[in-house]
Amino acid sequence: MSVAVRVELGPRSYDVAIGRGLIAEAGARIAPLLTRPRLAIVTDARVAGLHLRALQAGLSAAGIESEALALPEGEATKSWAELERAVEWLLEHKVERRDVVVAFGGGVIGDLAGFAAAILRRGVRFVQIPTTLLAQVDSSVGGKTGINSTHGKNLVGAFHQPALVLADIDVLGTLTPRDFLAGYGEVAKYGLLGDEGFFDWLERHGPALAAGDADLRVEAVRRSVQMKADIVTRDETEQGERALLNLGHTFCHALEAATGYSDRLLHGEGVAIGCALAFETSARLGLCAQEVPSRVRAHLRAMGMKVDLADIPGSLPDAEGLLALMAQDKKVQDGRLRFILAREIGQAFVADDVDLDVVRGVLSDALAQR
Ligand code: GLY
């Protein structure tokens, strides 16, 4: 059983298939894209250990030969060195212009393998098979690919849309509860930014889907991907509306930098805390009622997620230090900080003229509760 969401981008349109058992069907689903029955897979060591055999069996079932490169797991892999390794490996394995590369893993592998595909022979097609909730609902869809620089995250990359995305819900069963909930931060983000009905649905069904209900997981991924597809269709290269997908991210990136991109704070955890702070900022600016951030926090708390700065272990910089980290974010435009704020749950907008004293106050109060 699977459902499909179409990302409409003219000649670069593609389907995101969401459902159970898709890895076993990968060969049949990818075969129509191939001019010869062979594939190069880029993955990481953890995903390879858990799922590579199943993927290769699914490909063989359709007569497709495959070879795999397993890179180290973790954010540090999004580097020039690992990109070079991936590109040289693809060339060594004679991947040609009309071949297809498979990105099999979470956001790190999707971003790196997608970028390798974008620059290999001036661009080859690639298929995303995301194995984390975060990658299924966010990073595998929309064509943002890239690596990190010493100057910051995701500063080197390209827009390169996949030719197909296969989001197999069954693989989510091998995620740790912490990783699953981190991905859920991005799911909640969609309701918060543009669909109160979806947030309401998550309030009712979130605990059951986190506990493992596969039908609810399919539905949560489908609705998230549909929202992302609609936004990407209207604004592929983030000239405007796509920035809404960065709800919570200005705060999140500062917190990730403050915690050294370490295990102390996963990206999706930072997004959840960042969403709560964005709604708090919106309330203090008089844009929404104080009950709105309380409702956001109550749901995240009910899910057992990190919600407050107090939930981040270890020390953090003071409010001034966090503001300085925000100023280094790539979302700074013309020297001004860009925030995504909201008038209600589901009604987010881009704000370029936020009074930084208000943000400073929100951060000071949140730090005081630690
Ligand atoms: N993850 C945000 C975007 O794809 O635009």
Side-chain angles (χ1 to χ4, degrees):
M1 192 243 355
S2 73
V3 293
V5 173
R6 183 92 180 146
V7 184
E8 289 291 351
L9 288 167
R12 287 168 291 105
S13 299
Y14 55 95
D15 281 335
V16 181
I18 303 151
R20 306 191 64 177
L22 295 184
I23 286 181
E25 295 170 16
R29 288 178 178 266
I30 297 173
L33 300 173
L34 304 182
T35 52
R36 54 177 176 156
R38 65 182 283 248
L39 277 173
I41 302 166
V42 179
T43 186
D44 73 31
R46 179 178 174 278
V47 172
L50 289 168
H51 306 296
L52 185 57
R53 193 190 294 246
L55 176 60
Q56 290 191 303
L59 296 172
S60 299
I64 300 169
E65 279 175 34
S66 59
E67 281 169 301
L69 170 68
L71 299 172
E73 186 193 353
E75 186 70 28
T77 291
K78 273 175 63 171
S79 64
W80 287 107
E82 296 297 339
L83 176 72
E84 180 180 5
R85 185 167 151 198
V87 169
E88 293 296 341
W89 181 84
L90 291 167
L91 290 171
E92 204 179 294
H93 286 79
K94 312 229 173 330
V95 174
E96 295 175 2
R97 192 79 202 280
R98 297 198 301 163
D99 287 334
V100 170
V101 173
V102 173
F104 186 42
V108 167
I109 289 299
D111 284 7
L112 179 128
F115 189 36
I119 57 176
L120 185 77
R121 300 187 190 277
R122 299 200 177 86
V124 303
R125 291 166 303 153
F126 80 115
V127 170
Q128 289 268 20
I129 307 185
T131 57
T132 62
L133 181 58
L134 187 137
Q136 292 191 353
V137 299
D138 185 31
S139 56
S140 68
V141 179
K144 281 189 180 173
T145 71
I147 57 169
N148 302 328
S149 135
T150 48
H151 295 278
K153 270 183 82 165
N154 298 328
L155 292 182
V156 180
F159 284 99
H160 186 52
Q161 299 292 342
L164 174 70
V165 182
L166 299 177
D168 187 333
I169 295 300
D170 289 334
V171 297
L172 302 180
T174 57
L175 295 178
T176 64
R178 185 180 179 197
D179 281 326
F180 185 88
L181 284 182
Y184 186 86
E186 296 278 5
V187 175
K189 179 195 79 176
Y190 287 104
L192 293 172
L193 77 89
D195 187 348
E196 186 180 9
F198 183 40
F199 189 74
D200 192 70
W201 184 91
L202 291 171
E203 286 177 318
R204 280 181 284 123
H205 299 297
L209 82 84
D213 185 308
D215 291 341
L216 292 174
R217 287 181 173 192
V218 170
E219 181 61 2
V221 174
R222 184 193 70 76
R223 289 179 79 156
S224 301
V225 168
Q226 185 67 63
M227 282 187 69
K228 179 148 190 186
D230 291 346
I231 291 173
V232 167
T233 293
R234 292 191 293 263
D235 180 20
E236 183 181 6
T237 58
E238 201 170 313
Q239 304 304 307
E241 186 190 3
R242 185 165 179 168
L244 296 180
L245 295 172
N246 297 324
L247 175 63
H249 283 63
T250 305
F251 291 104
C252 170
H253 288 161
L255 295 171
E256 283 184 290
T259 49
Y261 303 97
S262 69
D263 209 31
R264 281 172 63 201
L265 185 73
L266 304 179
H267 176 70
E269 294 173 333
V271 170
I273 295 172
C275 285
L277 290 169
F279 273 84
E280 181 60 34
T281 306
S282 303
R284 294 217 190 167
L285 287 164
L287 294 164
C288 66
Q290 187 55 52
E291 294 75 56
V292 179
S294 304
R295 183 177 166 198
V296 175
R297 297 177 70 259
H299 177 54
L300 300 176
R301 192 58 82 199
M303 293 297 294
M305 297 171 70
K306 290 187 168 65
V307 184
D308 297 313
L309 298 188
D311 298 323
I312 303 173
S315 61
L316 286 177
D318 61 10
E320 217 52 60
L322 287 174
L323 274 173
L325 289 171
M326 284 182 193
Q328 286 170 14
D329 194 86
K330 74 177 185 308
K331 282 162 204 71
V332 175
Q333 268 189 359
D334 303 331
R336 279 180 311 183
L337 269 176
R338 161 175 285 202
F339 288 89
I340 312 302
L341 299 178
R343 297 194 174 83
E344 240 314 340
I345 287 177
Q347 291 178 31
F349 64 98
V350 180
D352 285 321
D353 53 357
V354 178
D355 181 350
L356 288 187
D357 282 340
V358 174
V359 180
R360 195 176 281 111
V362 168
L363 291 171
S364 300
D365 292 350
L367 287 163
Q369 285 160 17
R370 281 167 58 84

